[in-house]
């Protein structure tokens, strides 16, 4: 299992998380590598906020050693932020559970803006240029095979 960046989950098969409040714009902080998986750019969202309030989990406690990882995804083909955050709940017993958090339109716009800024900061390229690099690799002259 890839513990650094998880693939986007299939929305219809994964339970949705919902806490007592929405994710605030100032809480959206991206960290780490930007991964490309099957036409999706995957960003790790740092959880420097009360995840229990936003996701309805029970990890902000001394009662257990559970933790979560959260990922935001960008579909390079459609040039849109995917409509959910992928949330992996890591239980202290070593097992994992996968959830989604549905983004509202305002959250999607905030995530898009953070992705744009993070791409420039991390790679020196805009989000659009990064997509183009992955989707339209440079042409390479055909390799000539010489028979001896």
């Amino acid at each position: 299992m890839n513990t650094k960046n998880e693939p986007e989950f299939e929305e219809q098969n994964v339970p949705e998380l919902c806490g007592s409040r929405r994710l605030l714009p100032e809480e959206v902080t991206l960290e780490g590598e930007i991964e490309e998986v099957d036409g999706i750019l995957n960003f790790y969202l740092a959880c420097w906020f009360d995840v229990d309030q936003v996701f309805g989990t029970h990890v902000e406690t001394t009662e257990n050693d559970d933790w979560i990882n959260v990922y935001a995804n960008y579909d390079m083909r459609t040039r849109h932020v995917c409509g959910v955050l992928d949330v992996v709940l890591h239980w202290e017993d070593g097992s994992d559970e996968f959830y989604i958090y549905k983004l509202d339109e305002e959250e999607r716009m905030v995530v898009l803006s953070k992705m744009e800024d993070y791409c420039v900061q991390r790679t020196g390229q805009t989000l659009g240029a990064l997509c183009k690099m992955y989707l339209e690799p440079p042409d390479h002259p055909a390799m000539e095979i010489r028979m001896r």
Side-chain angles (χ1 to χ4, degrees), residues 70-121:
V70 180
Y71 305 92
N73 298 292
Y74 184 82
D75 188 322
M76 293 190 295
R77 290 178 198 93
T78 64
R79 303 289 172 112
H80 288 95
V81 173
C82 296
V84 299
L85 297 178
D86 297 334
V87 181
V88 183
L89 177 55
H90 303 280
W91 298 99
E92 66 182 330
D93 68 4
S95 63
D96 299 327
E97 286 190 43
F98 302 91
Y99 298 92
I100 58 170
Y101 170 84
K102 288 187 179 177
L103 296 168
D104 64 24
E105 192 57 34
E106 182 180 336
E107 289 167 326
R108 286 177 80 166
M109 297 310 295
V110 168
V111 170
L112 175 61
S113 175
K114 300 286 183 151
M115 287 176 170
E116 289 278 3
D117 293 345
Y118 194 69
C119 277
V120 172
Q121 172 195 346

Side-chain angles (χ1 to χ4, degrees), residues 28-30 40 65 71 82 99 118 125 130 132 137:
V28 178
T29 303
L30 303 176
I40 303 290
D65 289 325
Y71 305 92
C82 296
Y99 298 92
Y118 194 69
Q125 298 183 69
L130 194 59
K132 185 175 181 179

Side-chain angles (χ1 to χ4, degrees), residues 115-144:
M115 287 176 170
E116 289 278 3
D117 293 345
Y118 194 69
C119 277
V120 172
Q121 172 195 346
R122 187 81 184 172
T123 69
Q125 298 183 69
T126 65
L127 188 55
L130 194 59
C131 290
K132 185 175 181 179
M133 180 187 79
Y134 280 114
L135 295 175
E136 302 170 17
D139 293 329
H140 296 287
M143 294 180 69
E144 186 177 294

